[in-house]
Amino acid sequence: FLGVRDGLEVLVVEAARPRAAVAVMSADVGTRMSLARSALGRAWLLGQAVESRTAVLGQLQAAEVVSNQQKLALSKSLVSAQAQGYIVSIGEWHPAINAAAVPVCTADGQVVSLNCGGPAFMLTEEKLRDSVVPRLLQAAQALAHDIGGVAGPELTCSVKK
C-alpha cells in the first residue's frame, strides 16, 4: 500500500496485489488505518521531524487514540527504528496481520509511506525482516529516486532531532 496522512489516520491511496493470493486482505484504496498501530501510519510518523512527530503524538493522545503509556512506547519504537529507516507492526493493526513500512519524502516535502504486509501465519516477523524489508527499502528508494525525494534511512537519519 501507499498511504498519506489524513487527520489522525493514514489513508491508503494506492494498492498492489499479488497475482496468486492465498489469503486476501480486505484493505484497499480508501481504507483508513491507525497512525499509531499500523506499519503504514508508523512509517509516516517515522518520516516526520521530531517536533512534528511529537505534536501528532500529542493529538493522538488528546483524542484518546493512544494512552500516555502507548505514546511513550511508540515514541521509543520510532527512535529505535530511525537508524533502520523502516518500522514494523506485528499484529498491532490487526492481530492476524504483520507488516513493515518505509517513509518516503517527496520533492516538495510531503511524507508518504509504503508498506508490505500479510497474514501472520505466512509472513512471520523473521520472514518480514529478512526477506520483505530489504525489497521494500529498495522499492521505496526507487520510488523516491523517480520523484526526486528520499526514503528509508536516507530520510530517517536526516530527520531533524
Side-chain angles (χ1 to χ4, degrees):
F1 298 128
L2 181 69
V4 298
R5 178 182 173 203
D6 185 27
L8 297 180
E9 299 172 309
V10 62
L11 176 66
V12 175
V13 295
E14 188 61 61
R17 301 270 179 228
R19 289 184 199 140
V22 173
V24 178
M25 291 175 37
S26 62
D28 206 346
V29 172
T31 299
R32 295 178 177 280
M33 297 181 183
S34 168
L35 273 175
R37 290 187 308 278
S38 69
L40 206 57
R42 289 176 177 186
W44 184 89
L45 288 165
L46 185 61
Q48 299 301 306
V50 173
E51 184 177 295
S52 174
R53 181 188 307 159
T54 302
V56 172
L57 288 172
Q59 292 170 10
L60 288 166
Q61 185 179 0
E64 299 182 356
V65 174
V66 295
S67 67
N68 188 52
Q69 183 178 1
Q70 290 168 323
K71 179 181 131 184
L72 294 173
L74 179 54
S75 294
K76 185 177 178 182
S77 72
L78 290 166
V79 168
S80 66
Q82 206 159 359
Q84 300 168 348
Y86 71 90
I87 197 154
V88 298
S89 174
I90 305 300
E92 294 160 296
W93 174 65
H94 184 284
I97 303 293
N98 292 340
V102 178
V104 177
C105 186
T106 65
D108 66 356
Q110 180 182 6
V111 174
V112 299
S113 44
L114 184 66
N115 89 329
C116 181
F121 72 90
M122 292 177 64
L123 194 56
T124 63
E125 183 175 0
E126 181 181 345
K127 185 174 183 180
L128 189 67
R129 291 187 190 275
D130 294 346
S131 180
V132 173
V133 166
R135 293 175 182 162
L136 185 61
L137 284 166
Q138 188 176 40
Q141 290 165 344
L143 171 63
H145 179 267
D146 288 349
I147 63 172
V150 294
E154 186 181 348
L155 170 60
T156 60
C157 290
S158 68
V159 168
K160 294 178 185 171
K161 301 193 174 16

